[in-house]
Amino acid sequence: MEALSEFDLLRPTTLAGVLEARSAHPNSRLLGGGTDLLVNIRRGIVAPPVLIDVTGVGELRCMKADAHGLEIGACVTLTEIAGHAGVARIYPVVAQAAASIAGPTHRNMGTLGGNLCLDTRCIFYNQSEWWRQANNHCLKTTGDMCHVAPKSRGVCFATFSGDLAPALLTLGAEVDLLGPGGRRSLPLRELYIGVARHDEKATGGDGKNYLALKQGEIVTAVRARHEPGLRSAYDKVRIRRSIEYPVAGVAVALRRDGETLADLRVAITGTNPRPVLLEGTQALCGGKLDAGVFKGLDELVRDQIMSMKTTFTPGHYRRRVAGVLARRLVTRLFGQG
Ligand SMILES: Cc1cc2nc3c(=O)[nH]c(=O)nc-3n(C[C@H](O)[C@H](O)[C@H](O)COP(=O)(O)OP(=O)(O)OC[C@H]3O[C@@H](n4cnc5c(N)ncnc54)[C@H](O)[C@@H]3O)c2cc1C
Ligand code: SF4
């Protein structure tokens, strides 16, 4: 096992201090709980000379979940999100996703910001230095080819596996950013630019370049409106039930109006270089929840979920798992009293 490379650790306590540290150290990396970044440093995947720990910034720790809306600061931990009574009651998809991440100790350290900006994953990337070197590295680091898709022409298909993003996507969440140019907000789906199967035009991103953050920008919070009547839930399949990234993770939010499926949103993680909010689910609404809806849902999953071999689990299996989880969640939520 490699030794952890040397770095300086800065601990600003204000947002102004974070921006100052970022501009003074352009090659620095932000540190939330470190449960992803420190593993990658340990493996020699990255070696930032300076880490800026943002967890001491009080402005990044806001937490509100009531009948007006949801707001979670970037440094709120996964344990705090999972255990918040308002999140569990009004936005259960978010609490369930947070509770399903890694193990209890990771959740005590891991933050919303780190989870949303989680590095993409691949069996040829999440390996030790000597392992990657033995394979001549790959596009995501210093190599010149993709071992998953050798004819990919410069595109990396590493997979986004964060669990909170799909949950928040089904709520239509916005993400707040702060950088040298000031504050801005984006629909959360626009934070992710990794290519997906059904993209008609280039997104400008892939598994290597997967976030729309500008140089020096940080995530400060996510927000979502409360939508009365929206039922939501999250589920994932993983190899080890206790601690594991998703084989596939699925978030569903829907509204039922009498016997009618009035609204449906489905988002999937663990399959593509970005979390995918399925396009076309609105066309399945307006009638009963019948076999036609499930057939339509299966088709959307088939058309929009990639099956690249970036994990030990075959890609086509991950896509099937995503489809099955989506069906189960839709059935359960629609049937809730
Ligand atoms: C064994 C194991 C199992 C895991 N299982 C899962 C799982 O099932 N699901 C899952 O989603 N994750 C999993 N993880 C990954 C990780 O624990 C979580 O995703 C966690 O939420 C990451 O948050 P963090 O604060 O620790 O991130 P960090 O490691 O601190 O940061 C991750 C990345 O985000 C950047 N970053 C941090 N904060 C900000 C910010 N405010 N703005 C912009 N960029 C920022 C960092 O620079 C870094 O690039 C697992 C990790 C391990 C080791
Ligand atoms: S998808 Fe290809 S380029 Fe990307 S990490 Fe895997 S092997 Fe490397």
Side-chain angles (χ1 to χ4, degrees):
M1 184 182 284
E2 293 96 352
L4 202 60
S5 63
E6 296 233 339
F7 52 79
D8 287 333
L9 180 64
L10 304 181
R11 295 188 140 150
T13 53
T14 62
L15 281 176
V18 174
L19 289 186
E20 215 172 280
R22 289 286 267 172
S23 84
H25 304 282
N27 293 329
S28 62
R29 294 287 294 266
L30 295 179
L31 182 71
T35 60
D36 180 46
L37 182 57
L38 287 177
V39 177
N40 285 352
I41 294 176
R42 185 59 176 255
R43 285 186 160 154
I45 290 173
V46 285
V50 177
L51 297 185
I52 303 172
D53 178 357
V54 288
T55 58
V57 179
E59 292 148 273
L60 298 178
R61 298 201 40 83
C62 65
M63 177 83 184
K64 195 187 78 173
D66 56 25
H68 300 291
L70 174 71
E71 183 172 359
I72 310 175
C75 288
V76 176
T77 67
L78 303 171
T79 298
E80 288 166 333
I81 297 170
H84 191 281
V87 180
R89 190 166 53 82
I90 310 174
Y91 309 94
V93 66
V94 176
Q96 290 165 18
S100 78
I101 294 169
T105 48
H106 300 99
R107 293 196 290 274
N108 287 343
M109 296 298 293
T111 63
L112 168 85
N115 193 255
L116 293 181
C117 298
L118 190 66
D119 197 3
T120 51
R121 300 181 61 75
C122 173
I123 34 171
F124 290 96
Y125 174 67
N126 299 102
Q127 301 288 353
S128 62
E129 172 65 20
W130 64 262
W131 195 103
R132 284 179 288 108
Q133 197 177 13
N135 278 290
N136 285 330
H137 299 275
C138 73
L139 290 173
K140 191 157 156 73
T141 53
T142 53
D144 55 11
M145 78 176 282
C146 171
H147 304 299
V148 168
K151 293 184 185 160
S152 76
R153 297 193 191 159
V155 177
C156 162
F157 294 99
T159 302
F160 183 84
S161 304
D163 287 290
L164 281 176
L168 289 158
L169 286 173
T170 62
L171 301 181
E174 295 223 321
V175 62
D176 295 333
L177 309 174
L178 174 70
R183 290 181 186 272
R184 66 181 178 125
S185 297
L186 289 179
L188 181 61
R189 73 188 138 72
E190 291 179 19
L191 180 65
Y192 299 104
I193 56 172
V195 61
R197 192 167 195 221
H198 58 299
D199 291 336
E200 278 168 13
K201 53 180 190 257
T203 57
D206 62 359
K208 181 173 177 173
N209 175 28
Y210 57 96
L211 293 175
L213 291 179
K214 295 181 185 161
Q215 174 68 29
E217 240 175 4
I218 75 165
V219 169
T220 58
V222 282
R223 289 173 293 102
R225 278 187 307 116
H226 174 52
E227 296 179 65
L230 199 67
R231 307 169 177 188
S232 67
Y234 186 78
D235 200 4
K236 76 196 232 189
V237 163
R238 45 188 160 175
I239 301 296
R240 292 175 297 179
R241 190 77 195 157
S242 52
I243 304 179
E244 194 66 280
Y245 289 91
V247 166
V250 179
V252 172
L254 63 79
R255 257 183 332 105
R256 177 177 176 166
D257 189 1
E259 288 308 308
T260 302
L261 178 65
D263 191 359
L264 177 63
R265 306 152 196 193
V266 179
I268 296 170
T269 192
T271 52
N272 292 46
R274 69 159 188 257
V276 178
L277 180 64
L278 288 185
E279 287 172 18
T281 52
Q282 292 310 312
L284 305 176
C285 301
K288 287 188 174 160
L289 183 66
D290 56 16
V293 172
F294 290 119
K295 183 166 173 285
L297 189 55
D298 283 347
E299 283 168 5
L300 296 180
V301 171
R302 192 195 58 213
D303 291 348
Q304 297 176 39
I305 297 306
M306 257 178 196
S307 52
M308 305 300 286
K309 180 84 181 71
T310 53
T311 70
F312 287 111
T313 325
H316 64 273
Y317 175 72
R318 274 145 61 209
R319 186 163 57 189
R320 289 195 67 174
V321 166
V324 169
L325 286 176
R327 272 173 170 254
R328 279 190 200 157
L329 285 171
V330 170
T331 307
R332 173 151 65 84
L333 287 171
F334 193 81
Q336 265 175 15

